[in-house]
Amino acid sequence: YNAQKDTFDRRTFRVVGPGKLPGEGGAACVIATDAAADNANPVKLWLDATGGILRMDVPGGLTMTRSSKAEVVKAFPKATRQAPR
């Protein structure tokens, strides 16, 4: 849903197939892409067996990876407070 336009935007989600996470000893995963429009560069996703995101590469160079709470606290020691629900 696009709140700015008050409408639903069509997206193209495509399952590419089985693969491995990038890096040495990459875990088995499912690779998929997600594009906001037919002419948009797609986001590349590496998914676990339940569909959870393991890694996401966004056009423009940003890479996001799944992290445990311990990994986040180690990298950002002040990030110990949980957001309000």
Side-chain angles (χ1 to χ4, degrees), residues 4 9-10 15-16 18 21 27-28 33 35 37-38 44-45 57-58 61 64 69 77 84:
Q4 293 173 332
D9 287 340
R10 188 174 72 85
V15 176
V16 177
L21 275 172
T33 60
D38 289 336
K44 187 171 182 181
L45 304 151
D57 285 354
V58 178
M64 294 175 263
K69 181 177 178 179

Side-chain angles (χ1 to χ4, degrees), residues 7-82:
T7 187
F8 289 95
D9 287 340
R10 188 174 72 85
R11 302 186 70 84
T12 303
F13 186 84
R14 183 172 69 95
V15 176
V16 177
K20 291 192 180 283
L21 275 172
E24 192 169 325
C29 62
V30 174
I31 298 173
T33 60
D34 179 26
D38 289 336
N39 60 349
N41 290 327
V43 170
K44 187 171 182 181
L45 304 151
W46 288 261
L47 308 171
D48 65 16
T50 67
I53 298 172
L54 299 169
R55 176 184 168 125
M56 181 166 62
D57 285 354
V58 178
L62 178 65
T63 297
M64 294 175 263
T65 57
R66 181 189 294 180
S67 300
S68 68
K69 181 177 178 179
E71 291 169 320
V72 172
V73 171
K74 183 177 177 182
F76 304 99
K78 294 181 181 179
T80 57
R81 204 171 46 125
Q82 286 191 343

